Amino acid sequence: MLFATLAAATPVPETAILVFDTSYSAAQPPLYAGQNIQIRYDLARAKCEHYSTHGADTWSVGAYWAFNGNYNNIGSGRIAYTPYPGADQQYYEPVITNVPKGDLAIWFACGSEVGTTWDSNYGKNWHFKIQ
């Protein structure tokens, strides 16, 4: 009698989390087409001048992404944002939906009244393979 061993398929989580921490690396779980990808960004990476007006933060951080080199169709989401002077800063973990197979490029911008700085792997962006 022949016996076959079947490996149980590991279910793919509905949402994968990409963590961008202060080591300037990104923890990458396996990423799959059709999955949602949540971006978790450590604000300590944001090297812009954390400008304030009348004692309130007036700077923000945004995430941007593109698939398979198509920089004509860029997605974006807020990471940190102060809606108006005097308001508390809001923190977000944007979720990318409708993820296709291939390459995902992500980069970040930190902006204030004094300018914008980029967290983009020295202009190369952060790239992730989507299976």
Side-chain angles (χ1 to χ4, degrees):
M1 185 182 291
L2 294 173
F3 292 95
T5 303
L6 298 176
T10 304
V12 174
E14 182 178 333
T15 302
I17 300 173
L18 287 177
V19 178
F20 294 84
D21 63 21
T22 56
S23 69
Y24 286 90
S25 62
Q28 181 183 356
L31 302 174
Y32 299 96
Q35 192 176 43
N36 296 324
I37 298 174
Q38 183 175 352
I39 299 172
R40 185 166 295 159
Y41 184 84
D42 188 332
L43 289 178
R45 286 174 65 126
K47 298 299 182 190
C48 67
E49 187 168 334
H50 294 189
Y51 194 79
S52 62
T53 301
H54 307 293
D57 288 333
T58 56
W59 57 278
S60 63
V61 177
Y64 301 88
W65 56 85
F67 294 105
N68 300 315
N70 184 359
Y71 291 95
N72 292 319
N73 188 16
I74 295 174
S76 65
R78 288 184 177 149
I79 300 290
Y81 168 69
T82 305
Y84 55 89
D88 291 333
Q89 188 170 51
Q90 308 295 312
Y91 180 76
Y92 305 91
E93 292 184 349
V95 176
I96 304 170
T97 58
N98 301 317
V99 175
K101 185 176 182 176
D103 178 67
L104 166 63
I106 298 177
W107 63 100
F108 303 92
C110 181
S112 71
E113 292 183 19
V114 295
T116 300
T117 59
W118 300 93
D119 179 351
S120 62
N121 195 18
Y122 299 100
K124 297 182 287 189
N125 300 329
W126 305 98
H127 288 267
F128 303 93
K129 181 180 179 177
I130 310 296
Q131 301 178 42

